[in-house]
Amino acid sequence: MNDVYILAIETSCDETSIAIIKNGQEVDSLTILTQMDTHANFGGVVPEIASRMHAENITMVLEDTLRKSSVDMDRIDAIAVTYAPGLLGSLLVGVEFAKTLCLVYNKPLIAVNHTMGHILANRIDYEIEYPSLALTVSGGHTDLLVMESETDMKILGSSIDDSIGEVFDKIARVLDMPYPGGPNIEKMALKGQNSYKLPIPMNDNTYNFSYSGLKSYIINLVHNEKQRGNTINKEDLACSFQTTAVDELVRKVSLAIDNTGIKHFLLSGGVSANKYLRNKLKELCKIKGVTFHVPEFTYCTDNAAMIGCAAYPLWKEKKFASMDLNAKASESIKQYIEKN
Ligand code: KG4
Ligand code: ZN
């Protein structure tokens, strides 16, 4: 079979990214332009600014991706784009840009769910073995799945309220750390001890997660201590939060490994950049005799390479989108699986 080159576009949040992916697993070229510094001034992503910056920069990002690529537009087989979930205005910039490229260059369009992208980032330079357990942890989602193949998946459990990434960001903010909070909490946690006794989220035997109780407990704790004029040991609180939140994830993955007998594990999503989480899950897999895989750091947080990976199985099945494709702000992985 001829090599397949997919040009993929990702603009769901605050990264404008375009990649060219060969055969759904080799990164031929990738550009990621982050808006993080701009949004850091506001303590979080400002949707209106995000979409405007995507619109201003996307052509330049395309030029950069093509300049670094080994192929030109003529050799591209399809254009893939994230259509959901994310910030509506930001998604729309990517979707309309993708449609325009399809019309100008006469290419088919592939619509990709962002969370599927995170999961299938594991295909980059790696052969996934099936069945696999997959945990995806990002700013928007916390999902545990069984993957029978790259297209056949079943949800075991999800967060019933806040995602783990969202809570990392909120706790960082209450501890006066700049956006994005996750990496800053990780750095601060390295200097602290797990000394605060915090409520364990969703301490049950389901595969669901819940982080809003832990979040509210910490926010109240910080406010109460401030009101009393007491100082908070931020390093210790960051460490205690990270330990409590991550250990609960690890416990549920352990339960899933025991109950399903599955021998392969895949981690993904922005929060999987967290070394404490990676190491804990790696250790667990070693003990259980399960293979462990996580994408390289660059492919854990938002990027277009993962969108190209997730587009490839759709390309093989010729599941193309029509020119009336619209962006969708919310579409959980469960809704996506049920739809397909
Ligand atoms: O996957 P992602 O880039 O965007 C979404 O799809 O949401 O994930 C972003 C999330 C943010 O909540 C960010 O704080 C978190 O991933 N994150 C981390 C780390 N790096 C990014 N959380 C904990 N530790 C990190 N090192
Ligand atoms: Zn993401």
Side-chain angles (χ1 to χ4, degrees), residues 52-80:
R52 206 178 327 150
M53 288 183 78
H54 286 307
E56 279 166 11
N57 294 324
I58 197 160
T59 314
M60 196 172 67
V61 171
L62 175 67
E63 274 174 359
D64 192 58
T65 309
L66 286 170
R67 188 179 47 76
K68 293 184 295 197
S69 174
S70 65
V71 296
D72 58 19
M73 271 313 267
D74 292 342
R75 185 61 189 79
I76 298 294
D77 293 284
I79 311 280

Side-chain angles (χ1 to χ4, degrees), residues 116-270:
M116 281 299 300
H118 275 303
I119 298 169
L120 289 178
N122 275 291
R123 301 190 70 217
I124 298 173
D125 302 327
Y126 183 73
E127 282 310 326
I128 299 178
E129 289 183 82
Y130 297 102
S132 267
L133 274 174
L135 175 71
T136 180
V137 277
S138 73
H141 299 275
T142 310
D143 297 301
L144 185 59
L145 303 93
V146 172
M147 296 174 72
E148 297 292 346
S149 73
E150 59 191 11
T151 50
D152 180 6
M153 299 177 197
K154 192 178 89 197
I155 291 270
L156 288 181
S158 298
S159 173
I160 59 165
D161 42 54
D162 297 359
S163 73
I164 185 165
E166 209 176 328
V167 177
F168 262 95
D169 293 337
K170 292 261 166 62
I171 303 300
R173 198 192 284 199
V174 87
L175 294 179
D176 305 317
M177 282 181 248
Y179 172 85
N184 288 317
I185 291 262
E186 178 173 16
K187 262 185 241 147
M188 194 170 257
L190 282 175
K191 297 184 214 142
Q193 302 291 324
N194 178 18
S195 62
Y196 282 89
K197 185 139 183 48
L198 302 175
I200 295 172
M202 203 91 187
N203 191 12
D204 64 4
N205 282 335
T206 70
Y207 300 116
N208 289 328
F209 308 97
S210 166
Y211 284 106
S212 71
L214 178 63
K215 176 188 75 179
S216 307
Y217 182 91
I218 296 176
I219 292 173
N220 289 338
L221 177 81
V222 173
H223 287 163
N224 290 343
E225 292 297 74
K226 268 188 190 162
Q227 270 171 4
R228 290 189 193 117
N230 297 336
T231 48
I232 284 274
N233 184 325
K234 291 186 182 179
E235 287 79 11
D236 280 5
L237 190 53
C239 178
S240 306
F241 158 67
Q242 181 174 272
T243 309
T244 309
V246 167
D247 287 1
E248 184 56 8
L249 274 182
V250 175
R251 192 179 72 79
K252 298 252 156 140
V253 172
S254 174
L255 199 67
I257 291 174
D258 291 346
N259 291 346
T260 62
I262 290 175
K263 289 286 166 213
H264 308 287
F265 176 76
L266 308 168
L267 179 62
S268 63

